[in-house]
Amino acid sequence: THLTETPPTSPMKNFFAGGFGGVCLVFAGHPLDTIKVRLQTQPKPKPGESLLYAGTIDCLKKTLAKEGMKGLYKGMAAPLIGVTPMFAVCFFGFGMGKKMQQKTPDEILTYPQLFAAGMLSGVFTTGIMAPGERIKCLLQIQASTGEVKYAGPMDCVKQLYREFGIRGIYKGTALTLMRDVPASGMYFTSYEWLKNVLTPAGKSHNELSIPSVLFAGGMAGIFNWAVAIPADVLKSRFQTAPEGKYPNGFRDVLRELIREEGVGSLYKGFNAVMLRAFPANAACFLGFEFAMKFLNWMVPDL
């Protein structure tokens, strides 16, 4: 049966295959990420004025009209440099989490165990993720506010470090943890669950068709973000706010958002996120599975 065919979990292979998945994810998802951040951080209109962007499609049209296709890929160097190792670390953390819980190399884990392994991967990625997100958000909003303070990612790191030290670079870490730990658990569990559901009886996971992998990966992205969006909105606000605006951290951001814009504002950018989550994560898992097959064939005993 298919149990014997599952190669034992190899965190190293997960690392390389995850990195390749990350590259696929950025190419597929970056345009909608730019739109998501612009929608989440757009200023509240003055009385009598309308919002800068009416919604996802409007923001897409305006960005294309003003900046062309290049505008949608603004700030992509940072996520490519950041996401590739981050997904490598993310899948590595998931591999480690699985390996730590397996008594034998081919033991099939339960869903709660997979969830725990996924949460571990969220802890692993936050170390890279928090500063990367802080820099990405700052660069993405300066293009739409028109005030250019940072020349690029490295310049942004230098200026933040000069002004606020290492804490300035890691601003929003607690929020990144709150977002990524439960969301990563959700991400990997839903992917494994959908793979199980889509695998015909008597067949192995390795024989899943490309459309099935794309569907499972895309849906995993949607489950992941359904859990992550509220913390993500708070994090985007907090990380792009002027220094000292929220002295008590995310509690202040949460209070202000709910007071001014209601609970619904915690799901700001929902359409952009969901539209992006499906193709980006479908591309990511397809890239991951493809790289895994390649590695199992190239270096079977790694």
Side-chain angles (χ1 to χ4, degrees), residues 1-285:
T1 69
H2 72 281
L3 298 190
T4 50
E5 293 171 44
T6 332
T9 306
S10 154
M12 270 334 281
K13 277 187 195 156
N14 271 22
F15 181 82
F16 291 115
F20 184 69
V23 172
C24 298
L25 174 120
V26 174
F27 273 99
H30 193 75
L32 277 154
D33 187 61
T34 301
I35 287 171
K36 177 199 79 157
V37 173
R38 287 184 178 185
L39 287 173
Q40 282 179 344
T41 57
Q42 64 175 334
K44 236 175 115 181
K46 296 182 180 65
E49 286 182 12
S50 58
L51 272 170
L52 186 57
Y53 306 116
T56 306
I57 303 297
D58 185 48
C59 183
L60 176 69
K61 279 193 198 133
K62 284 183 178 155
T63 303
L64 278 172
K66 230 168 70 184
E67 307 167 59
M69 200 57 194
K70 244 176 58 201
L72 290 175
Y73 278 98
K74 267 252 166 70
M76 189 168 91
L80 257 189
I81 298 163
V83 164
T84 309
M86 195 194 74
F87 268 82
V89 168
C90 174
F91 279 85
F92 175 78
F94 180 59
M96 284 286 295
K98 283 203 298 195
K99 220 180 168 73
M100 280 157 60
Q101 299 181 81
Q102 283 173 323
K103 290 173 193 68
T104 60
D106 48 9
E107 185 192 345
I108 303 293
L109 294 176
T110 63
Y111 291 124
Q113 286 175 312
L114 288 169
F115 195 85
M119 292 207 305
L120 182 71
S121 95
V123 176
F124 267 74
T125 49
T126 297
I128 305 178
M129 190 72 162
E133 289 269 316
R134 166 105 155 117
I135 291 151
K136 175 181 73 78
C137 288
L138 287 172
L139 290 174
Q140 279 174 324
I141 65 154
Q142 74 172 6
S144 56
T145 54
E147 159 195 8
V148 177
K149 189 177 171 189
Y150 308 110
M154 284 328 284
D155 180 48
C156 186
V157 171
K158 278 191 206 120
Q159 286 196 43
L160 285 173
Y161 187 69
R162 219 179 21 243
E163 271 187 78
F164 314 110
I166 196 80
R167 280 192 47 200
I169 297 172
Y170 270 90
K171 182 178 175 178
T173 300
L175 274 167
T176 309
L177 271 173
M178 276 168 57
R179 182 192 72 174
D180 288 349
V181 170
S184 293
M186 208 45 206
Y187 187 51
F188 285 108
T189 310
S190 55
Y191 179 65
E192 297 287 333
W193 170 67
L194 283 161
K195 276 205 313 190
N196 287 338
V197 171
L198 295 167
T199 304
K203 287 266 168 96
S204 98
H205 274 175
N206 303 339
E207 297 170 72
L208 266 184
S209 66
I210 287 179
S212 294
V213 172
L214 285 172
F215 180 74
M219 286 310 291
I222 285 188
F223 280 116
N224 168 58
W225 276 103
V227 173
I229 283 185
D232 187 55
V233 174
L234 294 177
K235 188 188 64 59
S236 289
R237 281 289 174 104
F238 182 64
Q239 287 185 321
T240 55
E243 219 35 50
K245 185 175 175 188
Y246 301 116
N248 301 319
F250 74 88
R251 290 192 301 274
D252 289 354
V253 192
L254 184 61
R255 265 192 229 114
E256 181 195 82
L257 255 182
I258 290 179
R259 191 178 63 235
E260 288 196 1
E261 303 177 40
V263 176
S265 63
L266 285 174
Y267 277 90
K268 257 209 180 134
F270 186 80
N271 293 349
V273 167
M274 289 311 178
L275 278 170
R276 162 178 166 256
F278 196 93
N281 290 288
C284 173
F285 275 111

